[in-house]
């Protein structure tokens, strides 16, 4: 697939006046620095509809048709994927659904696992500044907001390899999703969290600028999470740390313990009741409620996979 800018081609693009289309020309003008030495972003393509921006950009990268700094945005996608191949859809123009192509040369491959965490830090920082919404991070790839005193998932991140030297990072954010449009009760959106703006152009520019800054900082020190400040910043914004959680692991196994740290490899470290500190590198994390408060908080948001690619 070759992405095309058809943001003006759809005669029904103003069918929901509360959800205007993105301005691809303005986004390019604000973000792209062709031939220059400043800035990461090199191309912005906005399409009306696709299955998955991650799948499309991975295909373009492996075919040699996309370079580092390429951004692919969809106004609507119907085959968005989260972790464990969960599916997720949302009404057209109700959120931001986009993927970027990165080629972290000079960074050891074993540190590439920090990219989704880096994207989480960059996105949370941007949402706080641009939309006035405090956004917490649920390890490893969820964005959480507070709606009516409850923690809800409003976005997600998915990183995928695109050949031997590239990674595609997909980010999705529920922006104007209304209560009756939520895929599951545990999902949320920026508007429900009291955002000061739901202008998607403004929010997208803020997220991409923040992502570019964090990426360049991390890459400049060889992907070292400590020297770049990424490890400490992630820990400071991580809602998972300090809580008792259940890690649901491959093979129908699980571990319950207090999340006490994110280690240098980006793994979540759990302190179990047996006194063992167990690092978890992959799996679903369920935030358990305090004793006496029945149920748990993790699965409701995960089921909808808000924002995953």
């Amino acid at each position: 697939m070759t992405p095309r800018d058809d943001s003006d081609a759809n005669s029904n693009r103003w069918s929901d006046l509360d959800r205007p289309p993105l301005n691809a020309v303005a986004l390019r003008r604000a973000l792209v620095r062709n031939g220059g030495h400043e800035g990461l972003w090199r191309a912005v393509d906005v399409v009306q509809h696709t299955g998955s921006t991650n799948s499309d950009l991975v295909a373009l990268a492996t075919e040699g048709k996309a370079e580092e700094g390429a951004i692919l945005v969809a106004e609507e996608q119907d085959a968005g994927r989260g972790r464990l191949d969960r599916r997720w859809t949302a009404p057209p123009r109700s959120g931001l659904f986009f993927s970027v192509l990165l080629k972290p040369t000079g960074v050891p491959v074993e540190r590439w696992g920090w990219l989704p965490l880096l994207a989480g830090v960059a996105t949370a920082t941007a949402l706080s500044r641009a939309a006035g919404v405090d956004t917490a991070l649920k390890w490893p790839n969820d964005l959480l907001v507070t709606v009516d005193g409850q923690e809800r998932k409003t976005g997600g991140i998915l990183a995928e390899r695109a050949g031997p030297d590239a990674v595609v990072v997909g980010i999705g954010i529920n922006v104007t999703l209304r209560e009756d449009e939520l895929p599951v009760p545990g999902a949320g959106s920026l508007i429900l969290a009291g955002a000061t703006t739901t202008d998607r152009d403004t929010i997208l520019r803020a997220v991409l600028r923040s992502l570019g800054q964090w990426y360049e900082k991390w890459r400049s020190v060889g992907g070292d999470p400590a020297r770049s400040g990424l490890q400490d910043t992630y820990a400071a914004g991580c809602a998972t740390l300090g809580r008792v959680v259940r890690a649901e692991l491959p093979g129908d196994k699980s571990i319950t313990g207090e999340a006490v740290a994110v280690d240098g490899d980006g793994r979540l470290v759990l302190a179990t009741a047996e006194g063992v500190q167990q690092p978890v590198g992959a799996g679903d994390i369920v935030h358990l409620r305090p004793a006496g408060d029945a149920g748990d908080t993790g699965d409701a948001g995960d089921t909808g996979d808000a924002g995953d690619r």
Side-chain angles (χ1 to χ4, degrees):
M1 165 184 175
T2 300
R4 57 189 176 90
D5 177 10
D6 55 1
S7 57
D8 293 323
N10 187 344
S11 61
N12 296 319
R13 65 194 180 100
W14 292 102
S15 58
D16 187 339
L17 296 180
D18 291 330
R19 292 170 174 166
L22 292 166
N23 187 329
V25 174
L27 287 169
R28 291 191 191 101
R29 187 181 301 121
L31 294 166
V32 176
R33 301 290 186 268
N34 285 322
H37 296 289
E38 61 171 313
L40 168 66
W41 310 118
R42 292 293 178 266
V44 180
D45 287 291
V46 179
V47 298
Q48 285 298 313
H49 177 271
T50 192
S52 163
T53 56
N54 253 36
S55 295
D56 292 345
L57 197 51
V58 167
L60 290 169
T62 54
E63 294 168 6
K65 297 179 180 179
E67 298 298 328
E68 181 174 48
I71 304 165
L72 178 60
V73 190
E75 294 282 33
E76 180 185 16
Q77 61 175 13
D78 59 16
R81 293 173 293 112
R83 298 177 66 252
L84 305 179
D85 284 330
R86 293 183 177 124
R87 303 295 289 272
W88 177 84
T89 59
R93 303 186 305 278
S94 65
L96 289 168
F97 324 115
F98 63 98
S99 299
V100 302
L101 177 61
L102 304 174
K103 294 186 176 182
T105 55
V107 177
V109 172
E110 57 268 23
R111 288 177 172 170
W112 289 14
W114 274 97
L115 281 170
L117 282 67
L118 182 154
V121 167
T123 303
T125 301
L127 293 180
S128 176
R129 292 175 179 172
V133 174
D134 288 334
T135 307
L137 303 167
K138 178 187 172 190
W139 188 92
N141 69 335
D142 290 349
L143 302 165
L144 306 178
V145 297
T146 301
V147 178
D148 296 330
Q150 295 185 337
E151 195 174 70
R152 297 196 190 183
K153 177 177 175 179
T154 197
I157 297 159
L158 181 67
E160 298 183 81
R161 289 289 291 270
D165 65 342
V167 178
V168 169
V169 178
I171 300 174
I173 305 165
N174 289 339
V175 179
T176 60
L177 215 63
R178 298 179 279 266
E179 194 76 43
D180 62 348
E181 296 173 317
L182 297 175
V184 291
S189 67
L190 298 185
I191 195 169
L192 293 176
T196 56
T197 182
T198 57
D199 184 324
R200 293 184 305 138
D201 287 85
T202 298
I203 295 169
L204 181 57
R205 288 197 302 267
V207 171
L208 288 167
R209 285 171 177 154
S210 180
L211 178 57
Q213 291 165 1
W214 269 106
Y215 176 69
E216 296 290 11
K217 185 178 181 181
W218 173 78
R219 186 167 62 174
S220 71
V221 293
D224 188 314
R227 291 174 59 202
S228 64
L230 178 58
Q231 187 173 4
D232 286 345
T233 305
Y234 185 88
C238 183
T240 303
L241 293 179
R243 300 172 72 157
V244 175
V245 305
R246 183 175 68 249
E248 298 177 346
L249 309 177
D252 294 326
K253 298 179 181 179
S254 67
I255 301 173
T256 298
E258 181 183 355
V260 295
V262 175
D263 69 13
D265 294 320
R267 300 177 300 179
L268 185 68
V269 180
L270 302 185
T272 69
E274 293 76 22
V276 176
Q277 292 207 345
Q278 178 68 48
V280 175
D284 276 359
I285 299 298
V286 179
H287 289 176
L288 302 178
R289 294 185 189 274
D293 192 357
D296 50 45
T297 64
D299 288 341
D302 289 343
T303 303
D305 272 312
D308 289 349
R309 316 309 302 145

